[in-house]
């Protein structure tokens, strides 16, 4: 998980998803998650608590979520701590 420890956010923009190991591992490392609301991602990511969910295929919403977390370090830290 060394790469995850150097990251600020995990973005998972799948069109379909089971229960994502990548999301689980990121949350264990204390990363907030931005994910498409498909499959198990919706079960793992608690909207505005541990990360953000966006509709699959909505590139504008994905970019907006990424930009929000890029600009707000306190929000990133809070979501990441709750994810852990």
């Amino acid at each position: 998980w060394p790469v995850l420890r150097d990251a600020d956010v995990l973005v998972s923009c799948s069109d379909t998803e089971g229960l994502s190991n990548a999301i689980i591992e990121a949350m264990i490392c204390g990363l907030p998650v931005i994910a498409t609301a498909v499959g198990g991602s919706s079960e793992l990511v608690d909207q505005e608590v541990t990360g953000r969910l966006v509709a699959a295929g909505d590139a504008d919403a994905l970019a907006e979520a990424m930009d929000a977390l890029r600009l707000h370090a306190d929000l990133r830290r809070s979501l990441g701590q709750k994810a852990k």
Side-chain angles (χ1 to χ4, degrees):
W1 298 337
V3 172
L4 290 177
R5 292 196 175 118
D6 290 335
D8 292 322
V9 176
L10 177 89
V11 178
S12 175
C13 51
S14 303
D15 289 328
T16 62
E17 188 67 71
L19 197 61
S20 171
N21 285 339
I23 290 176
I24 293 168
E25 291 169 359
M27 293 173 88
I28 288 169
C29 291
L31 291 179
V33 175
I34 299 169
T36 46
V38 296
S41 299
S42 299
E43 295 177 35
L44 294 171
V45 179
D46 190 357
Q47 181 73 339
E48 300 303 327
V49 176
T50 62
R52 294 202 170 168
L53 293 167
V54 299
D58 189 343
D60 291 335
L62 181 64
E64 183 180 311
M66 291 169 63
D67 205 34
L69 293 188
R70 178 183 66 86
L71 294 172
H72 302 284
D74 289 342
L75 177 59
R76 276 196 320 270
R77 281 190 290 277
S78 173
L79 296 174
Q81 287 171 351
K82 291 172 185 168
K84 193 172 185 176

